[in-house]
Amino acid sequence: MPPHPLGEAPGAPPRARLLPRLLPRLLAVLAVILGTALAGPAPEARAAVTLTRVSDFGSNPGALAMYVYRPAALPDHPPVVVALHGCTQGAQVYADNSGLPQLADRDGFLLVLAETGTANNASKCFNWFQTGDNRRGQGEALSVRQMVSRAVSAYGADPQRVYVTGLSAGGAMTAVMLATYPDVFAAGAVVAGLPYDCTKDTSPYTCMNPGVDRSPADWAQRARDAYPSYTGAWPRAAIWYGDQDTTVVPRNATELRDQWTALHGLSQTPTRTTTIGPNATRQDQYLAADGTVAVEVDRVPGIGHGTPVDPGTGGEQCGSTGAPYFLDSICSSRWIARFFGLDTTTPGDPGPGDPDPGGGGTAACWTASNYAHVQAGRATTSGGYTYAKGSGQNMGLYNTFVTHTLKESPTGYFSLADTGCP
């Protein structure tokens, strides 16, 4: 019989008597493994981002806090990005250092930050490893889902364009949300996280380091078991990790890739590989039949455990190293926004998330009604709205009265180009 994920062994005294004594020690060990025992005092990050706390977002069975960053020029029916902080962090620290609020200003999305606290976990980790919190319809997972519902109802957000990202325990919780609520999230980005339900029959410590090697089919089934009746499309998944991470080792990126490529029915061999950013991050992309990037793995060289950021004011820079676990390397948040289809880099001016950075042929341009774009295979429709194939950008209502120009580059990848093409 495999050990219990929290360390309970066969023949042990009843769990109710063991947990009060063991849980503090287990949480302390977990904190160390997740890198929360710092060698010295943490540098203070100046709180530069104004967040609004939202208290009435549902029954909140996971006892989480909800914060919102709303750009001043938020468009109608904006997309939503949910951000999940790492251990010892909080919503404010994540907002101040990840670069996500600045991208929300530029790209026009609503940023929702979930926050856990010491009452849930002594190290302020999301409880990705506990069945009471990583299952559909209960605990922390349900609380995050309720935040999305509140964002849609209170801010008029687009329920078809909801995304999630997070670091470490927040990264592992991102995988939880994609598996348990594939009907809610269109895509997610796991930063230094783990595959869903690794702790089903393995301790969280083993999952993190040295990691667990399972078949793609096994991993995929664990995700399917999170919502057995689900028959829709699976969310797209981006996986970010530092190649020197000894806290959540790189094997977890490989296992995450196996889980999500298998869910999408894809090979574990990338369709294309390139290098991106100022530090030659290796990007492997796995394309679906329609040309969209279903799974992406970004291997950041020379860094350990944390969110990759690139402080500065350049067009490809974002974030700050003013708090632990924000590592100077590449602006991962910008690339993640592009993966989500939110990056508004000027069409015709290749940006970091372009599916074919640095070239790849002459762009073709198409101007037509949304209805005609869908009929021609350049866009898809869902819930009465039209979405460009490849970029996933929302083109508005599906009818003959809304007209847009789409740029096709590379073949099969379409993005909005109303301001000029190519």
Side-chain angles (χ1 to χ4, degrees), residues 321-387:
T321 56
Y325 311 113
F326 294 96
L327 309 177
D328 192 350
S329 51
I330 181 176
C331 171
S332 60
S333 291
R334 182 180 181 189
W335 288 85
I336 288 168
R338 176 65 65 87
F339 177 78
F340 291 163
L342 305 177
D343 191 311
T344 55
T345 300
T346 304
D349 182 16
D354 193 293
D356 188 16
T362 302
C365 300
W366 315 82
T367 300
S369 71
N370 280 354
Y371 175 82
H373 281 308
V374 171
Q375 297 305 306
R378 295 185 288 268
T380 60
T381 182
S382 176
Y385 287 88
T386 306
Y387 299 88

Side-chain angles (χ1 to χ4, degrees), residues 94 165-172 174 189-194 238-241 305-308 332 336:
Y94 209 68
T165 185
L167 164 68
S168 190
T174 295
V190 178
V191 183
L194 302 96
I239 300 153
W240 284 78
Y241 70 102
H305 190 67
T307 297
S332 60
I336 288 168

Side-chain angles (χ1 to χ4, degrees), residues 388-413:
K389 275 192 175 180
S391 69
Q393 292 171 307
N394 189 333
M395 300 164 58
L397 293 173
Y398 173 51
N399 58 41
T400 60
F401 303 105
V402 179
T403 298
H404 285 294
T405 297
L406 291 178
K407 178 184 74 171
E408 182 181 11
S409 178
T411 302
Y413 187 99

Side-chain angles (χ1 to χ4, degrees), residues 28 30 47 49 61 70 136-137 146 161 176 223 235 243 284 293 295 302 307 319 362 377 380:
L30 183 59
V49 177
R70 184 188 190 281
R136 183 181 176 91
Q146 290 175 342
R161 293 189 296 160
V176 168
D243 68 357
D284 293 335
V293 181
V295 179
T307 297
T362 302
T380 60

Side-chain angles (χ1 to χ4, degrees), residues 231-249:
T231 58
W234 285 95
R236 299 163 55 243
I239 300 153
W240 284 78
Y241 70 102
D243 68 357
Q244 303 299 312
D245 195 337
T246 57
T247 300
V248 179
V249 296

Side-chain angles (χ1 to χ4, degrees), residues 251-268:
R251 171 182 278 181
N252 285 290
T254 301
E255 303 305 309
L256 272 163
R257 177 209 64 187
D258 290 354
Q259 187 167 59
W260 288 94
T261 51
L263 284 168
H264 283 275
L266 301 176
S267 164
Q268 283 72 58

Side-chain angles (χ1 to χ4, degrees), residues 16-42:
R17 295 200 301 267
L18 270 178
L19 281 180
R21 299 196 303 268
L22 292 181
L23 192 54
R25 283 193 296 167
L26 288 172
L27 290 173
V29 173
L30 183 59
V32 173
I33 295 175
L34 282 172
T36 59
L38 304 177

